[in-house]
Amino acid sequence: MEDVAQYFLDDEVIGFDMEWKASATYADGIRDNVSMIQLASEKRVALFHVASFIGTDPKHFVAPSLRKIMESPDITKVGVSIKADCTRLRKFLGVNTRGIFELSHLHRLIKYSQSQPKLVNKRLVNLNDQMEEHFGLPLLKETEVRCSDWTRPLNYDQVQYAANDPYACICLFKTMDGKRQAMIPMPPRPAHAELDLPIRLVEEAQKATVAEENAAAELGGTADSNVDGKAI
DNA sequence: AAAAGGGGTACCTTGCAGTG
DNA sequence: CACTGCAAGGTACCCCTTTT
C-alpha cells in the first residue's frame, strides 16, 4: 500500500471509492466495513484489498502515504456519495479526509444552472446517470457484484468492478470541469464538501481535534497531527 | 438491510420593538 | 416595568436517494 500510494502523492485530483460487505453493521469489525479502498488518476488505478491485511489496530490498515493523500486539502478526492465513504474511513480507520469533492454537485451545476437554477442543490445523482449524461455510456453496475463479499479473495469480476468506479469518477470530473470552464459566464467550482458542514459538526470536529492534541501532548509523543484547523 | 446525507417542514427559542 | 406581536434563527423530524 505504501509503495503504490506514493504514485498518487503529486496528483491534484484523484478518483476515490470504497467497497465493503453489504450486510455489515457498524458493530462488525474493520474488515467487514472497509474491505477495499480504490484510487484512480488518469494514468493508473490502485486497488487496496485491506480486508486481507494482517493486524487489528486501525493503523495496520492505512499506510502513511495513503493517510497523507486522504488528509491533504491540496489533493482533491472526487466521487459520488463520497461523504459517506469518508465518514466510514474516519469512523473505522481514524482518517480525517479533506479535499472531498462531490461529483453530484458539479453535475447539477453544469446541467441546470442556466435552465433550471432551482435544481442546483445538494441532492445526490447516481454515478450511472452521470456517466450516461456525459459519456452516453452506461456503467456496468451489477448488483450481484456490488453486493458481493468483499472480504474474501477477489475474483476477476470484482477486480474489474472495483477499478471501474474510481476511474469513472476521475474521467467524469475532468469532463464536467471542462464543461464548467467553457460556460459563459463561468460559474465557480463547487466548494470541497467538508467545508460546508453544519456548524454543530464543525464544532464537534474542532473539539475532537483539541482533545486529540491534548492527549498527544500528555503522552509527550510526536503524533503527526496533519490537522491545522484552517480548513475546518 | 443498514447507514448517511440533503431538502423540506413544523416547532421552539430568542431578540427586538411597540404599547399601555 | 410588564405584556404582546413579529421576524429571525436554530432544532428535530420525516421523506427520499444513494451507497455497499
Side-chain angles (χ1 to χ4, degrees):
Chain A
M1 176 186 268
E2 176 58 28
D3 287 350
V4 173
Q6 287 181 7
Y7 284 114
F8 296 86
L9 280 170
D10 294 328
D11 285 311
E12 286 179 12
V13 185
I14 56 177
F16 166 65
D17 194 30
M18 283 172 39
E19 315 292 332
W20 61 88
K21 229 177 173 175
S23 60
T25 67
Y26 270 38
D28 294 327
I30 292 175
R31 290 181 178 78
D32 284 0
N33 279 283
V34 183
S35 308
M36 289 208 65
I37 298 172
Q38 303 108 270
L39 302 181
S41 66
E42 285 176 297
K43 291 181 190 167
R44 52 172 64 87
V45 180
L47 307 180
F48 303 112
H49 191 218
V50 296
S52 65
F53 286 16
I54 295 167
T56 50
D57 192 89
K59 68 173 183 284
H60 296 138
F61 297 87
V62 189
S65 287
L66 183 66
R67 179 182 292 276
K68 192 173 175 185
I69 289 167
M70 297 311 293
E71 296 192 340
S72 167
D74 300 322
I75 302 175
T76 299
K77 273 70 65 177
V78 305
V80 173
S81 198
I82 189 171
K83 263 187 155 180
D85 290 337
C86 295
T87 299
R88 230 161 233 277
L89 214 50
R90 185 176 68 245
K91 198 152 184 175
F92 289 95
L93 298 182
V95 176
N96 292 299
T97 307
R98 287 193 288 165
I100 305 169
F101 190 90
E102 174 56 58
L103 288 171
S104 308
H105 299 172
L106 181 56
H107 169 76
R108 284 181 175 276
L109 179 74
I110 60 177
K111 185 172 182 185
Y112 297 122
S113 67
Q114 287 176 344
S115 56
Q116 299 164 274
K118 275 192 173 179
L119 292 180
V120 182
N121 55 31
K122 301 281 186 67
R123 294 250 179 200
L124 299 174
V125 178
N126 75 51
L127 182 58
N128 197 51
D129 288 354
Q130 294 188 50
M131 287 297 287
E132 290 211 356
E133 171 84 20
H134 299 286
F135 296 114
L137 297 167
L139 193 66
L140 287 175
K141 277 264 185 183
E142 296 148 14
T143 307
E144 194 185 326
V145 180
R146 160 189 277 214
C147 298
S148 58
D149 186 348
W150 292 93
T151 65
R152 308 279 304 161
L154 306 178
N155 60 41
Y156 184 73
D157 284 344
Q158 286 176 307
V159 170
Q160 193 171 40
Y161 177 96
N164 263 342
D165 264 15
Y167 186 66
C169 288
I170 188 70
C171 292
L172 261 178
F173 177 82
K174 297 283 177 183
T175 297
M176 292 199 293
D177 206 47
K179 288 185 182 178
R180 177 187 66 84
Q181 291 180 39
M183 287 169 74
I184 302 170
M186 184 181 81
R189 186 193 281 183
H192 281 156
E194 77 273 22
L195 298 180
D196 53 21
L197 284 173
I199 299 298
R200 183 173 51 80
L201 295 182
V202 172
E203 286 170 352
E204 276 176 19
Q206 285 170 339
K207 275 183 202 164
T209 303
V210 170
E212 218 171 82
E213 286 170 350
N214 288 345
E218 273 180 20
L219 286 171
T222 53
D224 62 324
S225 162
N226 285 321
V227 183
D228 61 19
K230 281 181 196 166
I232 293 173

